[in-house]
Amino acid sequence: MRKQGPMIICTLAGLILIFSRYFQVGRDLGMLTTWDRWFMLSSGMAIGVGAINLTILHAKNVMRRTQYWQSSVILLVCMYGYMALAIHQTTGAGIPLWIFQSFMVTANSTLFSMVVFFIFSAAFRAFRIRSREAALLGLVAIITMFGVAPIGDALIPGWSGLKDWLLDVPNMAGFRGIQIGAYLGAFATAIRILLGLERAHMGGGGR
Amino acid sequence: MLVADQPVLGIFARDLFPAFVLAAAVAVAVFFMIQRARSGASIPLIRRLPGIEALEEAIGRSTEMGKPVHYIPGLGDIRDPMTIASFAVLSFVSRLTASYDVRLICTNRNPVVYAIAEEVIRQSYLEAGRPDSFNPDDVRFMSDAQFAYCANVVGMLVRERPAAQILYGNFWAESMIIIEQGALIGSIQIGATAQVHQMPWFVACCDYALLGDEMYAASAYLSKEPVMTGTVVGQDIGKYICFVLILLGVIMSTVVGSNDHFLTRWLQ
C-alpha cells in the first residue's frame, strides 16, 4: 500500500488534468487554475524543506570545522539575515530590494557572462577536425560566424543569406525533428506514469 | 455563443481538439504495443544507447579512483517530464553506487525535486542492502536561483573533484559552466537532455550524450521489460504518424500554393 496509494493519486491527478484541459466541462469548472494553485502552495512549502537541508548541512560543517567552514558561516548568516530583513521590511522595497539588486542581480550577470569564456574552450574541443562530421560542423560554424559578423558580407556580398538559409532550413528542420521526438518521448513517459509502469519517482527501482 | 467557440461533439474543447485526436492516436498505439508485449508477442528491441551503457563504466572509474559520482537531475521542477525521466536513471545510478560502495553526490535546484531525489536514493541503497552507506548530506539542495545553484555546483566540483558527472534532465545556460568545469577537473561526463538549446553543448563537451527522446527511453532500456519497451515502440508509431502528417502538409502546400488548406486549418 506504501506505493499503491501514491500511484493511485498520481493516476487520478493525471486523468483530472487531461479532463480539465481537453474537455469543455473541465475547462468551465476552472480545475486547471485550482490545481496550479495547489502546486504553487506545495512548492512554497517545499522551499522550507530546502532551507532546512541547507541549515543542517552547513551547521554540521561549522560544528565539525570542516574545510572551508567559514563559507558555511557566511551562507547561514546571509540566508537567515536576509530572511529576517525580508520579514521585517517585505522583499519588494527598502534594504532587501537594494541587497537583491546590488548583489544577486550583479552576481547572476557576472556568472552568466562567464558562459562566453566557456563557449571558447568548448568550441575549441568541438571544432577539432577528427572526423567527417566534425569537419562539416567546423565548416558550418565558419559560414555562420562570418555571416553574423559584418566582415562576411564585406568580403562576399550575400554571405549572410547563406547563413540565414543554414539556420532557417537545415538547422530548423533538425531542430523541429528533435523536438517532435522529445515531445513524443515525454508523452510516452506520461502514459507509463498514468498506467503505473514507471514508478522511479516514488523511490526505489521503479517497478 | 459563436459556432467557433462551441465544443466539438458537445464535449471537447475546440482549440485543443486536433491535439487531443493526435494524442489519442499515439496513446492507442502505445496501448496496442503494451498489450502485444503482455500477450508474449515479439517486440522490437531498443537500439544500443552508448550513454546508458557508459553509466556503469563511469561509476566503475569513480570506484577505482576512490572519488565520488556527481548526479544532477536537471534544473526543471517536478512537472517537467525530463525530471521525471531522470529519476529512473538516478535510481539505477544510486543502486550501482550502493553496490560498488562509492559516494554519490546529488545536487538539486528545486526543493521538491530534492525531497524526491533523497527518497529515490535512500530507497535504492535500501534495496541494494546497504542502508548504512546512504549519507543524507550528499543529497543537497543548493539554491533555487539558477546561477547561485551553478556557482555552488562549480565550488563543489573543485572541492570534491568527482570522477564522474551525470547531468540528466532539463538545463539552461548554466549547463555550459558546469560541464566545462567538469571537463577541467577531468570527470567523465554523461549528459542527457531534451532541451534543444543546450544539446549542442552536451554533444560538444560531454563524453556521452543522450538527446531528445533517447533520454525518455532510458527507463525502458534499463528495465529490459517487454511492456516498457512496448511503450517506446508505440512512441515510434507516433513518429510515423507525425511523418505522414508532415509529408501530407508539404504535398498540400505545394499543390495549393499556400498554407491555406484543410490540414493547417484543422491543426490550428
Side-chain angles (χ1 to χ4, degrees), chain A residues 2-3 18 21-25 27 36 39-40 42-43 46-51 53-54 56-58 60 64 67-68 75 104 107-109 111-112 114-115 118-123 125-126 175 178-189 191-193 195 197-198 200-207, chain B residues 7 11-16 19-20 23 26-27 30-31 34 38 77-79 81 84 87-88 91 95 111-112 114 116 119-120 123-124 127 137 139-142 144-145 147-148 151 159 173 176-177 180 183-184 194 196-197 199 201 204-205 212-213 216 219 223 225 227-228 231-232 235 238-239 242 246:
Chain A
R2 193 178 163 269
K3 278 198 176 173
I18 291 170
R21 198 165 170 77
Y22 290 114
F23 290 82
Q24 195 60 46
V25 186
R27 280 207 184 171
D36 267 348
F39 179 77
M40 294 287 280
S42 54
S43 298
I47 285 275
V49 178
N53 173 261
L54 272 178
I56 294 170
L57 184 73
H58 290 280
K60 272 184 191 169
R64 289 174 190 162
Q67 201 183 10
Y68 311 117
L75 184 135
M104 274 298 285
N108 271 344
S109 309
L111 261 168
F112 189 49
M114 272 172 65
V115 173
F118 287 115
I119 286 174
F120 272 119
S121 58
R125 271 208 302 277
F175 188 88
I178 292 171
Q179 243 175 352
I180 290 170
Y183 287 141
L184 285 168
F187 185 75
T189 304
I191 290 181
R192 283 200 289 268
I193 293 168
L195 295 177
L197 293 170
E198 178 123 21
H201 57 288
M202 290 174 196
R207 272 154 296 278
Chain B
I11 48 170
F12 298 105
R14 181 164 288 277
D15 58 337
L16 285 177
F20 179 77
V26 179
V30 172
F31 288 133
I34 289 173
R38 281 191 176 143
D77 66 24
I78 195 63
R79 287 178 295 184
I84 300 281
F87 288 131
S91 170
R95 262 178 294 146
V112 181
Y114 150 71
I116 296 170
E119 187 53 31
V120 168
Q123 191 66 28
S124 298
E127 282 175 11
D137 289 348
V139 189
R140 300 172 191 169
F141 168 74
M142 296 299 216
D144 201 27
F147 283 104
R159 285 191 300 273
M176 188 72 200
I177 300 173
E180 274 303 284
L184 281 173
V196 277
H197 298 290
M199 282 179 193
W201 310 127
C205 307
D213 57 334
Y216 296 113
S219 64
S223 77
E225 284 177 25
V227 173
M228 291 288 274
T231 61
V232 180
Q235 169 195 326
K239 280 185 198 166
C242 290
I246 291 168

Side-chain angles (χ1 to χ4, degrees), chain A residues 3-17:
Chain A
K3 278 198 176 173
Q4 273 93 333
M7 223 172 71
I8 292 165
I9 294 171
C10 195
T11 307
L12 273 176
L15 291 174
I16 290 170
L17 281 173

Side-chain angles (χ1 to χ4, degrees), chain A residues 18 25 41 49 52 55 73 84-85 90 92 99 103 114-115 121 125 143 155 165 168 183 186:
Chain A
I18 291 170
V25 186
L41 193 71
V49 178
I52 292 168
T55 310
V73 174
L85 259 175
T90 78
I99 291 173
F103 291 88
M114 272 172 65
V115 173
S121 58
R125 271 208 302 277
I143 293 171
L155 286 173
W165 179 82
D168 294 343
Y183 287 141

Side-chain angles (χ1 to χ4, degrees), chain B residues 91-131:
Chain B
S91 170
F92 176 76
V93 166
S94 50
R95 262 178 294 146
L96 275 183
T97 53
S99 51
Y100 289 175
D101 203 18
V102 61
R103 218 173 129 209
L104 170 68
I105 301 171
C106 177
T107 56
N108 299 277
R109 181 228 175 183
N110 187 287
V112 181
V113 175
Y114 150 71
I116 296 170
E118 187 179 348
E119 187 53 31
V120 168
I121 298 170
R122 189 194 301 274
Q123 191 66 28
S124 298
Y125 272 72
L126 202 68
E127 282 175 11
R130 287 183 186 265

Side-chain angles (χ1 to χ4, degrees), chain B residues 168-241:
Chain B
Y168 210 102
N170 196 356
F171 292 88
W172 296 291
E174 77 297 326
S175 69
M176 188 72 200
I177 300 173
I178 295 170
I179 297 170
E180 274 303 284
Q181 191 58 50
L184 281 173
I185 60 165
S187 291
I188 180 168
Q189 302 196 91
I190 299 167
T193 189
Q195 176 66 261
V196 277
H197 298 290
Q198 301 308 318
M199 282 179 193
W201 310 127
F202 277 63
V203 173
C205 307
C206 288
D207 297 287
Y208 297 94
L210 288 143
L211 306 174
D213 57 334
E214 283 179 338
M215 76 172 293
Y216 296 113
S219 64
Y221 186 80
L222 288 169
S223 77
K224 294 188 174 35
E225 284 177 25
V227 173
M228 291 288 274
T229 312
T231 61
V232 180
V233 181
Q235 169 195 326
D236 278 356
I237 294 172
K239 280 185 198 166
Y240 290 122
I241 295 172

Side-chain angles (χ1 to χ4, degrees), chain A residues 75-131:
Chain A
L75 184 135
L76 289 171
V77 168
C78 288
M79 188 168 81
Y80 283 101
Y82 192 82
M83 214 183 279
L85 259 175
I87 290 168
H88 181 64
Q89 290 199 325
T90 78
T91 46
I95 298 172
L97 183 69
W98 176 80
I99 291 173
F100 183 80
Q101 285 180 338
S102 314
F103 291 88
M104 274 298 285
V105 175
T106 43
N108 271 344
S109 309
T110 309
L111 261 168
F112 189 49
S113 60
M114 272 172 65
V115 173
V116 75
F117 300 104
F118 287 115
I119 286 174
F120 272 119
S121 58
F124 174 73
R125 271 208 302 277
F127 296 157
R128 270 181 302 182
I129 296 168
R130 289 169 298 186
S131 60

Side-chain angles (χ1 to χ4, degrees), chain A residues 139-195:
Chain A
L139 181 71
V140 172
I142 289 166
I143 293 171
T144 311
M145 280 191 280
F146 271 90
V148 174
I151 194 170
D153 270 334
L155 286 173
I156 303 167
W159 186 285
S160 58
L162 182 61
K163 178 263 303 177
D164 289 341
W165 179 82
L166 276 171
L167 289 177
D168 294 343
V169 183
N171 174 64
M172 190 56 78
F175 188 88
R176 286 182 180 164
I178 292 171
Q179 243 175 352
I180 290 170
Y183 287 141
L184 285 168
F187 185 75
T189 304
I191 290 181
R192 283 200 289 268
I193 293 168
L194 276 177
L195 295 177

